[in-house]
């Protein structure tokens, strides 16, 4: 055997081994074999070997943490304050109407609307127009722009509102000033908890910010704030209904975003799109 043939056979042997290893990796055999040799991660000890975390605190370190993490530190103080308030505040008797700070702040507005039914009807009509604007925008994003996230968020939010509204039916606030042009139109029954008016506006506003429509978003936020004041003044919602409505809009938008990421994968992108972008279909 010459040196040249020996080198050729060695090279062929290496190529065969490399091909075999590639096939084993492709079939998952090598990964399966290596998995048996991997050691399971050891559980984290309950007590660190270097001692508890608070033992390393210092006055300067705590002061620095207060400066760098002002928000969670403020929430810590509020936690302690409200713990004291909750354990000492007198409970409202079952024979008395609910105590609502929003109602107390809007008491003059409530009296003004009660004394001017025409003004109350006009504000209710304007509020219904705003609800129509929310609905129109959410439907537009889906039917015209082909972006389903806002409508998915609304579909997540409203059934949840229905379940909660059926689970705990709050009494209609005293001094409620209804109107036949208010939404739902006809002065019919509605769920108090939580406010779909507010949640729908939040969903639309968040989508406007994602699409760089910042002026529209700020306008919707301002109208949503005015809507909230009007709902309190007319006793159409409790304060907690409005606050949870804001949170419900945010949560529904986040859930819709996660659903969109889960379902709209690259393999469902438009095959005919020539711009090499991330265009997606329903």
């Amino acid at each position: 055997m010459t040196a040249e043939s020996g080198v050729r056979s060695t090279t062929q042997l290496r190529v065969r081994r490399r091909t075999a290893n590639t096939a084993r990796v492709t079939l998952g055999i090598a990964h399966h074999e290596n998995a048996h040799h991997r050691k399971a991660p050891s559980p984290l000890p309950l007590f660190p070997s270097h001692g508890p975390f608070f033992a390393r605190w210092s006055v300067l370190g705590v002061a620095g943490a207060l400066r760098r993490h002002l928000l969670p530190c403020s929430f810590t103080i509020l936690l302690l304050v409200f713990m004291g308030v909750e354990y000492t505040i007198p409970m409202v008797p079952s024979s008395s109407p609910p105590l609502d700070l929003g109602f107390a702040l809007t008491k003059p507005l409530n009296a003004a609307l009660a004394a001017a039914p025409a003004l109350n009807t006009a504000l209710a009509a304007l509020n219904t127009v705003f609800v129509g604007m929310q609905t129109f925008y959410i439907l537009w994003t889906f039917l015209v722009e082909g972006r389903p996230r806002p409508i998915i968020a609304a579909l997540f939010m409203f059934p949840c509102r229905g379940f909660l509204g059926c689970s705990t039916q709050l009494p209609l606030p005293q001094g409620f000033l209804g109107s036949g042009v208010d939404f739902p139109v006809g002065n019919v029954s509605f769920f108090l908890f939580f406010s779909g008016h507010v949640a729908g506006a939040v969903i639309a506003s968040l989508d406007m910010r994602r699409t760089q429509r910042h002026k529209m978003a700020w306008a919707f936020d301002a109208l949503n704030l005015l809507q909230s004041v009007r709902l309190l003044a007319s006793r159409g919602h409790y304060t907690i209904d409005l606050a949870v409505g804001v949170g419900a809009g945010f949560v529904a938008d986040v859930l819709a975003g996660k659903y969109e990421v889960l379902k709209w994968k690259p393999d469902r992108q438009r095959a005919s799109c020539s711009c090499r972008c991330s265009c997606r279909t329903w």
Side-chain angles (χ1 to χ4, degrees), residues 99-109 232 235 239:
L99 174 62
D100 193 299
L101 293 180
F103 288 0
L105 293 174
T106 57
K107 190 175 181 179
L109 292 175
L232 286 174
R235 304 301 188 251
T239 303

Side-chain angles (χ1 to χ4, degrees), residues 68-83:
R68 290 192 300 270
H69 307 287
L70 182 61
L71 187 61
C73 292
S74 300
F75 283 148
T76 302
I77 296 174
L78 289 175
L79 167 65
L80 299 176
V81 169
F82 283 115
M83 283 178 62

Side-chain angles (χ1 to χ4, degrees), residues 123-250:
L123 293 178
L126 291 175
N127 205 156
T128 299
V129 171
F130 180 52
V131 173
M133 292 166 58
Q134 303 171 26
T135 306
F136 178 81
Y137 179 83
I138 291 174
L139 291 176
W140 175 277
T141 59
F142 175 55
L143 297 176
V144 179
E145 298 180 2
R147 295 186 297 103
R149 179 166 176 173
I151 200 167
I152 293 175
L155 292 175
F156 283 169
M157 182 270 293
F158 278 105
C160 178
R161 176 175 178 267
F163 282 122
L164 293 176
C166 291
S167 300
T168 302
Q169 299 182 37
L170 300 173
L172 194 65
Q174 294 183 1
F176 169 66
L177 302 173
S179 173
V181 296
D182 202 355
F183 185 85
V185 178
N187 201 20
V188 295
S189 59
F190 57 93
F191 291 126
L192 285 167
F193 188 86
F194 49 85
S195 174
H197 290 67
V198 172
V202 169
I203 290 173
S205 174
L206 291 174
D207 184 79
M208 291 172 184
R209 283 182 165 79
R210 273 194 302 273
T211 54
Q212 307 302 316
R213 296 165 176 162
H214 295 292
K215 292 183 178 180
M216 290 179 62
W218 283 114
F220 254 61
D221 291 340
L223 291 173
N224 201 9
L225 178 60
L226 293 175
Q227 169 183 246
S228 300
V229 174
R230 179 251 159 189
L231 289 171
L232 286 174
S234 64
R235 304 301 188 251
H237 273 295
Y238 294 103
T239 303
I240 193 174
D241 304 335
L242 307 177
V244 175
V246 174
F250 274 97

